[in-house]
Amino acid sequence: MSDSQRTLPALRRLSYAVGHFLNDLCASMWFTYLLVFYHSVLGFQNSYAGVLLLVGQIADAICTPLIGYESDRTPGCGNYGKRKTWHLVGTLSVMLSFAFVFNQCLGCDSLTPQWASLTYFVPFIIVFQFGWAATQISHLSLIPELVTCEHAKVELTAYRYAFTVIANITVYAVAYLLFHVQAGEGDNPLSDALGPADIPVFRNLALIVLGIGVIFSVFFHLGTTEQRPVMEAGGEEERDRKRTEEEEEDGELRPLLSRFKTNSSLLQWKCWLQQPAFYQVALLYMSTRLIVNLSQTYISMYLINTLGLPKKFIATIPLVMYLSGFMSSFIVKPFSKLIGKCLTYFVGLLLILAFSSWVLLDDRMGQSVYGAAALLGVGSATILVISLAMTADLIADQTQSGAFVYGAMSFTDKFANGVAVMIIQALHPCHTVTCCPACVWFYHYIMVIVTGGMAVVAALALCTILIWPIKIRSQGLPDISEDESRVN
């Protein structure tokens, strides 16, 4: 057995792991600061700020399965590789649009109608979400192509998430420094409150994020080599034989995915829709993303409006969350190898439920908010890494349609996130730009519901996997003889 088949060299693992860094930087700003920026800084109404986030999530939800489908069927640009080609297209799209999302619209002033400003931002948000989706799907689709054994997939996913955490830490650290510098430059007693004076802070943060992310994207493209598909006769049989030898020698067992010989037929995108396991993993992945993204979206509003903390806390508390998540991401692989993926995911859910209970029972937590943030960070990191590893398990050897699977999973979570945010914004008790006293209890219960409530849904999805283990049904596969007859 070749070592390169079992895992990747350290440098190639590193180059792959940083390939999503630009996306992670931008996503951190998007989910953590979008509502705060448009509502508290630019003065948009709650519903308008929610519409902009909904537009972005719907655009992302539509783009992801389409990009996944095209990424599977297109050969790519020359010998560059189809996944890396789409990654490059996505990176360029993000670079050209993101700086406009976190800035005041050109030519706008205090007299400009909000609907006009909203119309200005929509095209940039759509281009940004297209680019983000193209980068995400192409990067995820490389995992089952770069490594074969199951624990190597978990390891690569953990490294990827580790840099996701580093990206979030970078954003919050830079945001804290920018707020600190701003506070030192003025003697305004209201400097702890967000307002139009903070526009330069978010604009500079977006530009710094783009500069750092582009550097890491270049490193990814230079250091990651995409394997070309095996086309010669007998290639698939030889690859499957080597993978079987790998798993037997390494003692690898697939606790979630039953082995199914795929050397005689391949799953296309339509066949995935006939697989019950596809919907099991989709529900689990959607629930996981709702917990992670909605808690990240509303943590800033909770800190400012419910706990009444200064604006620097919208940088320090998320920083604690992702520092704890970063440290925990390195023990996910050995922990999952020891007790299994399902039990590891369940442990993460218990931490999420502990955070939710803490918030519910302590509506005026002081310094203990740091401990609650650490619980949320560790729990979020655990369930996200394991949910991505389960998705890679589902794909297994079916790498030719892996991008569609990741695209479909992402579609469910983006659409659900957008709808959930719009519902929350529509239920907001304050219909003015400034928050009323009702904001205190509103964001308090929102944090409880989006963490504890969604953790219960995720637990139910996990139960379906425990009761009906994930496996590919043979009746969902196409008849290879029919496909061969068409070719011949």
XYZ file of all heavy atoms in Angstrom, residues 233-305:
610
model
N -9.150 1.304 -19.270
C -9.911 0.113 -18.884
C -9.263 -0.543 -17.677
O -8.052 -0.685 -17.594
C -9.959 -0.885 -20.064
N -10.122 -0.962 -16.774
C -9.624 -1.609 -15.574
C -9.172 -0.653 -14.502
O -8.762 -1.098 -13.425
N -9.195 0.643 -14.777
C -8.721 1.626 -13.795
C -9.562 1.649 -12.545
O -9.044 1.734 -11.438
N -10.877 1.589 -12.716
C -11.764 1.619 -11.560
C -11.573 0.374 -10.695
O -11.568 0.445 -9.473
C -13.224 1.711 -12.019
C -13.628 3.078 -12.530
C -13.658 4.103 -11.400
O -13.954 3.718 -10.247
O -13.386 5.280 -11.666
N -11.416 -0.812 -11.358
C -11.236 -2.033 -10.602
C -9.940 -1.989 -9.800
O -9.899 -2.420 -8.634
C -11.223 -3.247 -11.549
C -12.584 -3.571 -12.158
C -12.946 -2.678 -13.334
O -12.160 -1.764 -13.647
O -14.010 -2.906 -13.931
N -8.883 -1.456 -10.402
C -7.598 -1.390 -9.717
C -7.657 -0.432 -8.540
O -7.126 -0.721 -7.463
C -6.515 -0.933 -10.713
C -5.117 -0.778 -10.097
C -4.551 -2.108 -9.613
O -5.085 -3.162 -10.026
O -3.600 -2.089 -8.816
N -8.327 0.700 -8.727
C -8.447 1.670 -7.640
C -9.252 1.083 -6.477
O -8.900 1.241 -5.309
C -9.116 2.962 -8.128
C -9.144 4.055 -7.070
C -9.696 5.332 -7.619
N -11.084 5.180 -8.026
C -11.817 6.179 -8.532
N -11.287 7.360 -8.713
N -13.086 5.962 -8.880
N -10.354 0.367 -6.794
C -11.158 -0.246 -5.741
C -10.377 -1.333 -5.010
O -10.513 -1.487 -3.788
C -12.437 -0.838 -6.326
C -13.420 0.242 -6.751
O -13.296 1.368 -6.253
O -14.298 -0.073 -7.586
N -9.573 -2.091 -5.752
C -8.786 -3.147 -5.113
C -7.790 -2.551 -4.129
O -7.611 -3.039 -3.010
C -8.038 -3.964 -6.185
C -7.246 -5.132 -5.602
C -6.389 -5.781 -6.676
N -5.394 -4.862 -7.196
C -4.248 -4.599 -6.579
N -3.969 -5.171 -5.418
N -3.374 -3.752 -7.113
N -7.137 -1.454 -4.533
C -6.168 -0.811 -3.645
C -6.845 -0.234 -2.404
O -6.303 -0.304 -1.304
C -5.419 0.300 -4.397
C -4.477 -0.234 -5.459
C -3.754 0.910 -6.167
C -2.783 0.375 -7.214
N -2.091 1.485 -7.927
N -8.044 0.321 -2.604
C -8.742 0.873 -1.452
C -9.152 -0.225 -0.469
O -9.115 -0.034 0.742
C -9.985 1.649 -1.911
C -9.629 2.997 -2.507
C -10.842 3.719 -3.001
N -10.486 5.063 -3.459
C -11.294 5.871 -4.109
N -12.516 5.488 -4.383
N -10.891 7.069 -4.475
N -9.555 -1.375 -1.010
C -9.917 -2.487 -0.136
C -8.710 -2.960 0.661
O -8.791 -3.242 1.864
C -10.489 -3.647 -0.966
O -11.630 -3.176 -1.690
C -10.900 -4.805 -0.073
N -7.542 -3.040 -0.006
C -6.333 -3.444 0.690
C -5.963 -2.440 1.765
O -5.513 -2.800 2.855
C -5.180 -3.584 -0.317
C -5.340 -4.764 -1.254
C -4.218 -4.816 -2.276
O -3.378 -3.892 -2.259
O -4.169 -5.768 -3.070
N -6.131 -1.156 1.466
C -5.851 -0.105 2.447
C -6.657 -0.315 3.699
O -6.153 -0.291 4.822
C -6.216 1.268 1.876
C -5.189 1.863 0.957
C -5.668 3.223 0.477
O -6.299 3.948 1.270
O -5.412 3.547 -0.688
N -7.948 -0.513 3.506
C -8.856 -0.591 4.650
C -8.594 -1.840 5.471
O -8.698 -1.830 6.699
C -10.308 -0.544 4.176
C -10.651 0.805 3.557
C -12.033 0.801 2.935
O -12.591 -0.301 2.793
O -12.530 1.874 2.589
N -8.246 -2.962 4.783
C -7.983 -4.184 5.519
C -6.687 -4.074 6.314
O -6.588 -4.500 7.463
C -7.906 -5.364 4.547
C -9.264 -5.702 3.924
C -9.138 -6.799 2.892
O -7.988 -7.179 2.574
O -10.172 -7.270 2.384
N -5.644 -3.466 5.709
C -4.360 -3.358 6.390
C -4.438 -2.363 7.536
O -3.858 -2.547 8.598
C -3.293 -2.929 5.383
C -1.911 -2.802 6.020
C -0.854 -2.503 4.980
O -1.075 -2.840 3.797
O 0.183 -1.942 5.351
N -5.151 -1.281 7.337
C -5.250 -0.228 8.338
C -6.275 -0.557 9.416
O -6.408 0.157 10.407
C -5.629 1.091 7.654
C -5.403 2.280 8.568
O -4.405 2.293 9.309
O -6.244 3.197 8.530
N -7.047 -1.641 9.223
C -8.059 -2.003 10.202
C -9.256 -1.080 10.174
O -9.987 -0.978 11.155
N -9.452 -0.378 9.064
C -10.542 0.584 8.982
C -11.863 -0.142 8.788
O -11.970 -1.061 7.975
C -10.341 1.541 7.797
C -9.099 2.391 7.900
C -9.294 3.535 8.877
O -10.437 3.711 9.336
O -8.325 4.223 9.198
N -12.862 0.259 9.536
C -14.226 -0.197 9.357
C -15.103 1.009 9.151
O -14.829 2.074 9.692
C -14.706 -0.983 10.584
C -13.970 -2.302 10.865
C -14.511 -2.908 12.150
C -14.140 -3.272 9.709
N -16.139 0.885 8.385
C -17.063 1.982 8.151
C -18.300 1.777 9.007
O -19.202 1.039 8.626
C -17.463 2.071 6.679
C -16.258 2.327 5.762
C -16.716 2.601 4.349
N -15.597 2.790 3.470
C -15.704 3.184 2.213
N -16.894 3.423 1.710
N -14.654 3.342 1.445
N -18.380 2.464 10.145
C -19.524 2.247 11.027
C -20.798 2.881 10.506
O -21.886 2.483 10.892
C -19.084 2.937 12.332
C -18.090 3.956 11.891
C -17.397 3.382 10.697
N -20.668 3.893 9.649
C -21.852 4.600 9.176
C -22.266 4.174 7.780
O -23.430 4.204 7.431
C -21.580 6.110 9.162
C -21.303 6.747 10.520
C -20.964 8.207 10.363
C -22.519 6.589 11.419
N -21.296 3.824 6.987
C -21.585 3.557 5.576
C -21.245 2.120 5.250
O -20.097 1.713 5.313
C -20.765 4.503 4.686
C -20.991 4.371 3.191
C -22.420 4.782 2.857
C -20.003 5.216 2.417
N -22.227 1.348 4.906
C -22.004 -0.036 4.521
C -21.261 -0.075 3.198
O -21.559 0.674 2.274
C -23.340 -0.771 4.399
O -24.032 -0.741 5.619
N -20.287 -0.985 3.127
C -19.533 -1.086 1.874
C -20.432 -1.590 0.756
O -21.179 -2.542 0.910
C -18.360 -2.059 2.055
C -17.218 -1.476 2.870
C -16.038 -2.400 2.770
N -14.916 -1.885 3.504
C -14.644 -2.177 4.751
N -15.453 -2.960 5.426
N -13.575 -1.686 5.334
N -20.291 -0.928 -0.361
C -21.060 -1.362 -1.529
C -20.151 -1.280 -2.745
O -19.575 -0.231 -3.006
C -22.282 -0.467 -1.718
C -23.172 -0.948 -2.833
C -24.110 -1.953 -2.614
C -23.051 -0.405 -4.093
C -24.914 -2.386 -3.649
C -23.865 -0.844 -5.124
C -24.797 -1.837 -4.895
N -19.999 -2.327 -3.452
C -19.117 -2.343 -4.615
C -19.673 -1.442 -5.699
O -20.789 -1.638 -6.172
C -18.977 -3.770 -5.149
C -18.333 -4.726 -4.151
C -16.934 -4.290 -3.782
C -16.276 -5.248 -2.824
N -14.923 -4.831 -2.448
N -18.851 -0.460 -6.080
C -19.299 0.514 -7.068
C -18.491 0.429 -8.358
O -18.534 1.350 -9.160
C -19.165 1.933 -6.491
O -17.790 2.148 -6.136
C -20.026 2.124 -5.259
N -17.739 -0.645 -8.511
C -16.908 -0.708 -9.692
C -17.712 -1.047 -10.942
O -17.218 -0.938 -12.046
C -15.775 -1.733 -9.487
C -16.326 -3.101 -9.128
O -17.497 -3.243 -8.825
N -15.442 -4.089 -9.177
N -18.964 -1.484 -10.759
C -19.755 -1.830 -11.934
C -20.717 -0.731 -12.344
O -21.233 -0.756 -13.443
C -20.554 -3.114 -11.655
O -21.441 -2.903 -10.576
N -20.976 0.222 -11.455
C -21.893 1.296 -11.795
C -21.623 2.484 -10.896
O -21.104 2.336 -9.798
C -23.350 0.830 -11.644
O -23.570 0.313 -10.359
N -21.981 3.651 -11.373
C -21.696 4.896 -10.669
C -22.990 5.651 -10.422
O -23.884 5.667 -11.256
C -20.735 5.761 -11.500
C -19.363 5.143 -11.803
C -18.586 6.056 -12.740
C -18.583 4.897 -10.526
N -23.066 6.277 -9.262
C -24.235 7.077 -8.918
C -24.164 8.436 -9.600
O -23.203 9.177 -9.402
C -24.318 7.279 -7.394
C -24.933 6.158 -6.553
C -24.798 6.499 -5.086
C -26.381 5.950 -6.909
N -25.171 8.757 -10.387
C -25.297 10.094 -10.940
C -26.225 10.906 -10.043
O -26.824 10.384 -9.103
C -25.818 10.015 -12.381
C -24.930 9.200 -13.306
C -23.490 9.686 -13.329
O -23.236 10.888 -13.349
N -22.546 8.755 -13.306
N -26.413 12.186 -10.365
C -27.123 13.076 -9.445
C -28.576 12.638 -9.221
O -29.101 12.742 -8.114
C -27.044 14.509 -9.940
C -27.873 14.813 -11.162
C -27.488 14.685 -12.463
C -29.205 15.304 -11.180
N -28.502 15.045 -13.303
C -29.576 15.451 -12.546
C -30.135 15.642 -10.206
C -30.835 15.909 -12.929
C -31.389 16.108 -10.586
C -31.728 16.238 -11.939
N -29.238 12.110 -10.256
C -30.621 11.671 -10.098
C -30.729 10.492 -9.150
O -31.715 10.355 -8.413
C -31.213 11.310 -11.460
C -31.386 12.492 -12.409
C -31.988 12.043 -13.733
C -32.156 13.209 -14.696
N -32.711 12.780 -15.995
N -29.722 9.627 -9.173
C -29.756 8.440 -8.311
C -29.627 8.806 -6.839
O -30.186 8.113 -5.983
C -28.639 7.481 -8.714
S -28.728 6.925 -10.437
N -28.909 9.891 -6.537
C -28.786 10.300 -5.138
C -30.149 10.637 -4.545
O -30.386 10.411 -3.354
C -27.858 11.499 -5.018
C -26.408 11.179 -5.098
C -25.537 11.517 -6.095
C -25.631 10.454 -4.138
N -24.279 11.036 -5.831
C -24.312 10.388 -4.628
C -25.932 9.837 -2.913
C -23.291 9.735 -3.937
C -24.918 9.198 -2.217
C -23.617 9.160 -2.728
N -31.048 11.168 -5.367
C -32.366 11.558 -4.871
C -33.219 10.350 -4.505
O -34.260 10.505 -3.863
C -33.083 12.408 -5.931
C -32.365 13.707 -6.343
C -33.168 14.435 -7.407
C -32.132 14.602 -5.139
N -32.794 9.153 -4.916
C -33.523 7.931 -4.579
C -32.937 7.224 -3.356
O -33.426 6.170 -2.972
C -33.494 6.973 -5.774
C -34.058 7.572 -7.052
C -33.845 6.671 -8.252
O -33.672 5.454 -8.103
N -33.859 7.232 -9.446
N -31.904 7.813 -2.762
C -31.239 7.184 -1.631
C -31.735 7.776 -0.308
O -31.571 8.970 -0.061
C -29.719 7.393 -1.736
C -29.077 6.767 -2.949
C -29.135 5.253 -2.910
O -29.132 4.649 -1.831
N -29.178 4.629 -4.080
N -32.362 6.986 0.577
C -32.800 7.508 1.884
C -31.652 8.079 2.704
O -31.843 9.050 3.444
C -33.403 6.273 2.564
C -33.798 5.361 1.440
C -32.773 5.582 0.371
N -30.462 7.508 2.574
C -29.311 8.001 3.330
C -28.974 9.436 2.959
O -28.479 10.205 3.783
C -28.101 7.096 3.086
N -29.235 9.802 1.716
C -28.997 11.170 1.251
C -29.807 12.167 2.081
O -29.302 13.222 2.490
C -29.367 11.255 -0.234
C -29.238 12.623 -0.834
C -28.008 13.106 -1.244
C -30.361 13.415 -1.004
C -27.894 14.373 -1.805
C -30.263 14.673 -1.560
C -29.025 15.154 -1.969
N -31.062 11.838 2.367
C -31.933 12.731 3.124
C -31.605 12.696 4.620
O -31.769 13.704 5.319
C -33.394 12.365 2.880
C -33.786 12.498 1.428
C -33.815 11.382 0.590
C -34.091 13.741 0.881
C -34.160 11.507 -0.750
C -34.439 13.871 -0.451
C -34.466 12.750 -1.268
O -34.796 12.877 -2.588
N -31.148 11.562 5.111
C -30.723 11.492 6.509
C -29.557 12.441 6.772
O -29.572 13.219 7.744
C -30.302 10.051 6.862
C -31.435 9.058 6.974
C -30.910 7.664 7.263
O -30.496 6.949 6.357
N -30.920 7.273 8.520
N -28.554 12.362 5.928
C -27.379 13.223 6.103
C -27.741 14.679 5.849
O -27.238 15.578 6.535
C -26.244 12.757 5.170
C -25.043 13.690 5.269
C -25.826 11.335 5.514
N -28.622 14.939 4.889
C -29.027 16.315 4.592
C -29.712 16.962 5.795
O -29.458 18.124 6.121
C -29.957 16.345 3.379
N -30.591 16.208 6.471
C -31.270 16.742 7.647
C -30.278 17.025 8.771
O -30.364 18.061 9.450
C -32.340 15.758 8.125
C -33.120 16.161 9.380
C -33.863 17.476 9.155
C -34.105 15.062 9.785
N -29.334 16.125 8.972
C -28.333 16.320 10.012
C -27.456 17.523 9.700
O -27.164 18.352 10.581
C -27.474 15.061 10.147
C -26.498 15.055 11.328
C -27.241 14.752 12.624
C -25.387 14.034 11.108
N -27.029 17.640 8.443
C -26.166 18.749 8.040
C -26.905 20.081 8.151
O -26.351 21.088 8.621
C -25.676 18.523 6.611
C -24.705 19.570 6.126
C -23.368 19.530 6.514
C -25.110 20.597 5.283
C -22.465 20.489 6.075
C -24.218 21.565 4.847
C -22.907 21.494 5.241
O -22.019 22.457 4.806
N -28.167 20.117 7.738
C -28.953 21.350 7.818
C -29.126 21.791 9.271
O -28.966 22.977 9.592
C -30.321 21.156 7.167
C -31.192 22.399 7.186
S -32.901 22.075 6.699
C -33.479 21.165 8.137
N -29.446 20.851 10.151
C -29.619 21.177 11.561
C -28.327 21.704 12.165
O -28.328 22.665 12.950
C -30.082 19.933 12.334
O -31.258 19.393 11.780
N -27.217 21.074 11.789
C -25.918 21.520 12.291
C -25.622 22.947 11.867
O -25.216 23.792 12.677
C -24.816 20.579 11.786
O -25.078 19.248 12.229
C -23.452 21.026 12.278
N -25.843 23.222 10.591
C -25.560 24.559 10.077
C -26.495 25.613 10.670
O -26.096 26.763 10.878
C -25.665 24.561 8.556
C -24.441 24.002 7.857
C -23.242 24.879 8.096
N -22.076 24.462 7.327
C -20.909 25.084 7.342
N -20.761 26.163 8.108
N -19.895 24.651 6.639
N -27.727 25.253 10.934
C -28.641 26.199 11.563
C -28.155 26.575 12.959
O -28.218 27.745 13.358
C -30.049 25.606 11.633
C -30.861 25.642 10.340
C -32.160 24.861 10.502
C -31.185 27.080 9.940
N -27.672 25.597 13.705
C -27.136 25.884 15.037
C -25.942 26.817 14.946
O -25.864 27.847 15.633
C -26.738 24.584 15.758
C -27.973 23.731 16.042
C -25.992 24.887 17.061
C -27.641 22.338 16.569
N -24.994 26.462 14.081
C -23.746 27.223 13.984
C -23.990 28.623 13.418
O -23.540 29.630 13.989
C -22.721 26.462 13.119
C -21.469 27.296 12.902
C -22.370 25.128 13.773
N -24.717 28.713 12.309
C -24.867 29.998 11.631
C -25.808 30.953 12.360
O -25.531 32.155 12.464
C -25.366 29.771 10.194
C -24.331 29.076 9.329
O -23.149 29.046 9.659
N -24.766 28.505 8.221
N -26.944 30.450 12.861
C -27.883 31.339 13.539
C -27.330 31.833 14.867
O -27.547 32.995 15.241
C -29.217 30.626 13.755
C -30.050 30.360 12.501
C -31.351 29.661 12.857
C -30.354 31.662 11.756
N -26.612 30.982 15.589
C -25.995 31.448 16.832
C -24.934 32.503 16.539
O -24.803 33.493 17.279
C -25.382 30.274 17.598
O -24.351 29.654 16.851
N -24.201 32.322 15.445
C -23.200 33.310 15.056
C -23.854 34.608 14.591
O -23.348 35.704 14.842
C -22.321 32.729 13.940
C -21.130 33.591 13.572
C -20.260 32.949 12.513
O -20.560 31.860 12.020
N -19.173 33.612 12.148
N -25.010 34.504 13.940
C -25.696 35.695 13.430
C -26.262 36.550 14.556
O -26.183 37.785 14.509
C -26.839 35.272 12.482
O -26.283 34.562 11.376
C -27.597 36.488 11.971
N -26.817 35.901 15.578
C -27.538 36.648 16.610
C -26.764 36.837 17.908
O -27.268 37.481 18.833
C -28.884 35.982 16.895
C -29.880 36.249 15.794
C -30.140 35.300 14.805
C -30.531 37.471 15.706
C -31.029 35.562 13.777
C -31.425 37.737 14.690
C -31.666 36.783 13.733
O -32.551 37.053 12.703
N -25.539 36.315 18.000
C -24.766 36.499 19.216
C -24.441 37.968 19.441
O -24.462 38.454 20.581
C -23.471 35.638 19.182
C -22.770 35.661 20.541
C -22.536 36.096 18.074
C -23.495 34.935 21.622
N -24.169 38.716 18.373
C -23.846 40.141 18.525
C -25.055 40.927 19.013
O -24.930 41.789 19.903
C -23.341 40.716 17.199
O -22.142 40.091 16.793
N -26.225 40.648 18.446
C -27.438 41.332 18.874
C -27.774 40.971 20.320
O -28.250 41.820 21.093
C -28.607 40.965 17.960
C -28.311 41.109 16.480
S -27.939 42.804 15.984
C -29.558 43.549 16.000
N -27.519 39.737 20.701
C -27.764 39.287 22.078
C -26.842 40.023 23.053
O -27.278 40.473 24.122
C -27.555 37.776 22.154
C -27.525 37.209 23.551
C -28.690 37.108 24.324
C -26.333 36.755 24.109
C -28.664 36.583 25.601
C -26.293 36.221 25.385
C -27.464 36.148 26.127
O -27.426 35.627 27.404
N -25.581 40.156 22.682
C -24.626 40.813 23.568
C -24.948 42.287 23.758
O -24.844 42.827 24.871
C -23.211 40.658 23.004
C -22.648 39.236 22.943
C -21.350 39.197 22.161
C -22.443 38.673 24.345
N -25.344 42.963 22.681
C -25.577 44.406 22.738
C -26.930 44.727 23.351
O -27.037 45.585 24.244
C -25.458 45.021 21.326
C -24.015 44.907 20.826
C -25.912 46.473 21.325
C -23.833 45.356 19.401
N -27.972 44.059 22.898
C -29.336 44.449 23.283
C -29.852 43.745 24.528
O -30.622 44.339 25.292
C -30.289 44.187 22.110
C -29.954 45.029 20.901
O -30.071 46.240 20.923
N -29.516 44.379 19.829
